[in-house]
Amino acid sequence: MATRHIDAVRTIDEAVYANPWGVANWRNELASADRHHIVAIEDDILVGHAGLLFVLEEAHVTTVAVDPSREGKGIATAMLVDLLGEARAHGSTGATLEVRAADKRPQRLYGRFGFRPVGVRKDYYSTPIDDGIVMWLTDLQDAEVGDRISEIAAALTHSTEV
Ligand SMILES: CC(C)(COP(=O)(O)OP(=O)(O)OC[C@H]1O[C@@H](n2cnc3c(N)ncnc32)[C@H](O)[C@@H]1OP(=O)(O)O)[C@@H](O)C(=O)NCCC(=O)NCCS
């Protein structure tokens, strides 16, 4: 992701998040060495974005968002393949994220990659208030995890450029 993508990213975020990040926040994210943000482009249109924060040996998935009109085409899956590959290359030993308890779709998505629920942060989210499910994908460096990511990547049929 580059600065020129911020407006399109924010348009998606405003459609899918209750509290989207502002321009200043995005500029900070893009300027920080411990962040890694990607965009998905289809037919020259920005259709999704996703990001990581590296904390010591952990990779935190901070955001995954897809244009609602493009859902269900594997765009988030493609971005996660990319992010987890990046985390493995970075040497991260595990990946983690929080997801709204009510949002079963992303939980299924993360589950396919091997993320498992390990805890609940009570009332972690606002607008509306919801618990946060903490999910972890441990053993990120294991060959089996690499094989699983490769299998998911091979099954993708779309032509999104990430
Ligand atoms: C959750 C979210 C990221 C999913 O994005 P997406 O691009 O629709 O996800 P994918 O297409 O990769 O996978 C979603 C579904 O499409 C299916 N799918 C994937 N590729 C497909 C393809 N080529 N053809 C048909 N279906 C496909 C998947 O099996 C999956 O099915 P499921 O929801 O029944 O489990 C998106 O809905 C979103 O931005 N939501 C709002 C923000 C949010 O909640 N983000 C997560 C924060 S933790």
Side-chain angles (χ1 to χ4, degrees), residues 99-156:
V99 56
R100 280 182 177 270
D103 284 353
K104 301 304 178 200
R105 214 155 155 255
Q107 288 174 44
R108 279 201 301 275
L109 170 72
Y110 302 134
R112 284 192 287 272
F113 282 87
F115 281 88
R116 297 291 172 251
V118 298
V120 177
R121 293 194 212 277
K122 188 82 187 136
D123 296 341
Y124 182 75
Y125 292 100
S126 58
T127 342
I129 291 174
D130 198 358
D131 294 344
I133 307 292
V134 181
M135 300 183 81
W136 268 96
L137 170 53
T138 52
D139 308 321
L140 190 55
Q141 296 295 332
D142 281 10
E144 288 154 36
V145 174
D147 290 346
R148 186 187 308 140
I149 295 169
S150 298
E151 279 167 27
I152 292 172
L156 284 168

